[in-house]
Amino acid sequence: ELPGGDAPENAAIFHRLINGEELGPLHDMVALNAGAALDLWHDRTPSLDGEGVRQARELLRSGAVRATFVAHCQAATKLAAS
């Protein structure tokens, strides 16, 4: 079963996911979904154990997803202040 709830609970789950604290079915689902997108972007056939899924897992593990999210939040804050 995948976790989820109201907006504050979903935000907390999202932050746990990008901080590497949320493992299990949700992490797997996100990695599979992102992996399929990465495979398609690179003209590869999506696969459950393919390069895209490996890349997605590494991006989550390394903190790259979190860093990108933080950068987008900072840019949005600057644009909103303009």
Side-chain angles (χ1 to χ4, degrees), residues 34-71:
L38 288 166
D39 280 336
L40 291 170
W41 181 262
H42 292 285
D43 293 322
R44 297 185 300 240
T45 301
S47 160
L48 294 176
D49 60 352
E51 182 62 23
V53 174
R54 282 192 291 278
Q55 287 176 327
R57 289 186 190 283
E58 175 58 22
L59 290 167
L60 284 164
R61 188 204 60 74
S62 71
V65 173
R66 183 183 183 287
T68 300
F69 175 72
V70 169

Side-chain angles (χ1 to χ4, degrees), residues 1-30:
E1 184 174 315
L2 297 175
D6 60 12
E9 185 177 354
N10 288 341
I13 292 167
F14 172 75
H15 284 280
R16 287 197 309 270
L17 179 70
I18 66 172
N19 286 324
E21 301 161 5
E22 183 71 40
L23 302 174
L26 179 62
H27 182 270
D28 293 341
M29 182 193 70
V30 169

